[in-house]
Amino acid sequence: MMKLPKWLINVHVLAIVCAQWGDSGKGKLVDLFAQWADIIVRGTGGANAGHTIWIGIKRFIFHLIPCGILYPDKVNIIGNGVALDPEVLIEELDVLNREGISYENLFIAHNAKLVIVAHRVLDIVRERCQGRVGSTGRGMSPTYEAHVGRKSLIVNDLLNSDTFKDKLERRLAEMVKLLRAYRQELMEQHGKDIVREIMEKLGHAELYHEENIFDFEKMSEYYLECGRRIASMVTDTDRMVRKSRVEGKNILLEGAQGTLLSVDFGTYPFVTSSDSTIHGLAKGAGLSVKDVDHTILVVKAPYITRVGDGPFPTELGGQQSEEWCRTTSQEDERKKYGGYVTLQSTDEFDLGVAIRMEGDEYGATTGRPRRVGWLDLVAGSYAMEVNGTKHIALMKLDVLSGCPIIQICVAYRYEGPDFRYGDQILKSGSIITDFIPAAEVLQYCKPIYEEFDGYEDIRQMKSRDDAPANLAKILDKIEEQGFIIDLLSVGADRDQTIFA
Ligand code: IMP
């Protein structure tokens, strides 16, 4: 059992939420605090998320199963706010079966939202035909849209074949109308049936139907079979979690994505389709935010990343980087730049590539290179406000060891046309210190930096007092902003974690 940090004493519900655009190192923290927890709950997102799990020397990327699954005595829950693709879940269960890992203690919310392959197809097709968001193509937006549009399929439907067939038929009828129009548009552009191609790529050629787009009978049988496979895990997890809280069990809420990707608080419209702040997480786990005793905001520092499209004021290499990350694979990047760029590179774009390679910043779900930029305290303070916590975990601090100069963004200069945002009138030259989460504004925001000298290797650091002087200055700057540092991570291993 880990030695408990002092701030965890008297805490029973602990939430881990990313302050940025995801990929900040939540997985390491969830794995760490899973030792303390009795129950680990995922409350938002779906198979668009990905975390790496090591089983012995083998590495697996899981998208839905909570990180606590490797602890046989812990209860793991996929909560009501999750968009659950049964196909992905079953693949993950198959991995656990093959590795001899029990999932007896895994439970699925009966009211989790159901992702079906039609949602994935619509997601992918819309990315091609409408403005890009850089979606992972895992069907998130059609699934959550169905929920707020009062036509969602839920996991419980899989347990009742008549209900399921009835709801599926209605859901498909609506989606087919949309897909027919998109198919036609794509046919005119490409001269071939892209929808069929997508179904083939998704491994579901058998569910495709030339005229109806989906073969209803085959599709219902496929999902009902998935339902039989997971039926024993489906339960009222909301009640289970609430009851456990009353009983004083330790509950760990595992966030997905990050505050700036939240559909409610993020850099809209370049966001995911669930609320990835503490609000969505608590609700999606079956709790109220008031039930959460302590929220840790996860902050990758002093660099940050974003995957997919959308504004990113501190991006190293700006548009060149965005374009490069959109169109290049990890293999091509390593082939072209491996050995040529370093943390000493003076060109911004090159430095971004070097940090990406050093930090292994490639998407766990899509493999895409993550866009890299400097730590942004304007966005960070906003995440602190939105999530109602000052407590942060600083992750991946070791990655920039040896980088000679470090910049931290403390404000933006707006350089766009006149724009009215609520009662504020932004003009070219306006200084912004209170984050505005609107893409129309952020796309014109240029960072104002404070510059710091870099620090040497910190992988052996054992306490905050061991921090080299230059890192200490950076930590002081972060605290000056109002953050309370709960934890520092100076390497991937569990023992490279320093509790404050
Ligand atoms: P979607 O959630 O697949 O619809 O993608 C919407 C946006 O969120 C895209 O910019 C994705 O790149 C981003 N996104 C979704 N999931 C993750 C994640 O787990 N980490 C980082 N970005 C994500």
Side-chain angles (χ1 to χ4, degrees), residues 86 90 160 177 216 230 245 281 286 443 450 489:
I90 288 171
N160 299 283
K177 278 191 206 146
F216 172 73
I230 61 174
R245 191 190 75 83
L281 176 58
Q443 65 178 327
E450 250 178 57
S489 176

Side-chain angles (χ1 to χ4, degrees), residues 230-261:
I230 61 174
S232 62
M233 298 170 221
V234 179
T235 186
D236 184 345
T237 60
D238 289 352
R239 191 158 274 147
M240 217 173 139
V241 175
R242 286 196 288 263
K243 191 163 168 275
S244 305
R245 191 190 75 83
V246 172
E247 287 166 357
K249 299 236 169 78
N250 290 343
I251 302 173
L252 176 62
L253 306 184
E254 172 182 340
Q257 286 85 43
T259 300
L260 302 179
L261 282 174

Side-chain angles (χ1 to χ4, degrees), residues 21-23 48-50 123 133-138 140-141 256-257 261 270-273 306-309 365 368:
W21 285 285
D23 310 313
N48 52 347
D123 195 6
V133 171
S135 152
T136 59
R138 297 303 187 111
M140 295 301 108
S141 71
Q257 286 85 43
L261 282 174
F270 298 96
V271 293
T272 187
S273 300
R306 164 162 214 170
V307 64
D309 296 23
T365 299
R368 292 179 287 182

Side-chain angles (χ1 to χ4, degrees), residues 383-440:
M384 177 162 69
E385 273 173 44
V386 164
N387 291 287
T389 180
K390 293 177 178 222
H391 294 266
I392 57 170
L394 291 175
M395 309 302 290
K396 291 194 115 171
L397 284 166
D398 54 299
V399 173
L400 290 200
S401 300
C403 183
I405 299 289
I406 285 166
Q407 316 251 27
I408 295 185
C409 172
V410 291
Y412 302 143
R413 181 177 299 101
Y414 177 76
E415 292 186 358
D418 288 4
F419 189 82
R420 184 162 173 179
Y421 185 75
D423 60 354
Q424 288 183 67
I425 311 279
L426 299 171
K427 293 188 173 296
S428 184
S430 298
I431 301 298
I432 297 178
T433 48
D434 289 332
F435 188 76
I436 296 176
E440 300 91 323

Side-chain angles (χ1 to χ4, degrees), residues 122 124-131 176-195 213:
L122 184 58
I124 297 169
V125 164
R126 278 206 298 225
E127 256 318 268
R128 293 204 189 180
C129 296
Q130 299 181 343
V176 163
K177 278 191 206 146
L178 282 172
L179 278 170
R180 280 218 176 95
Y182 286 129
R183 183 170 66 173
Q184 186 59 31
E185 194 179 324
L186 289 166
M187 184 75 88
E188 280 158 20
Q189 277 171 28
H190 301 275
K192 56 181 176 175
D193 184 354
I194 299 283
V195 172
I213 302 206

Side-chain angles (χ1 to χ4, degrees), residues 408 450-453 455 464 467-480:
I408 295 185
E450 250 178 57
E451 191 170 290
F452 293 82
D453 288 329
Y455 47 88
R464 182 165 170 178
N470 289 344
L471 174 59
K473 285 185 195 150
I474 291 174
L475 300 181
D476 290 347
K477 176 73 211 169
I478 292 171
E479 282 177 335
E480 230 175 69

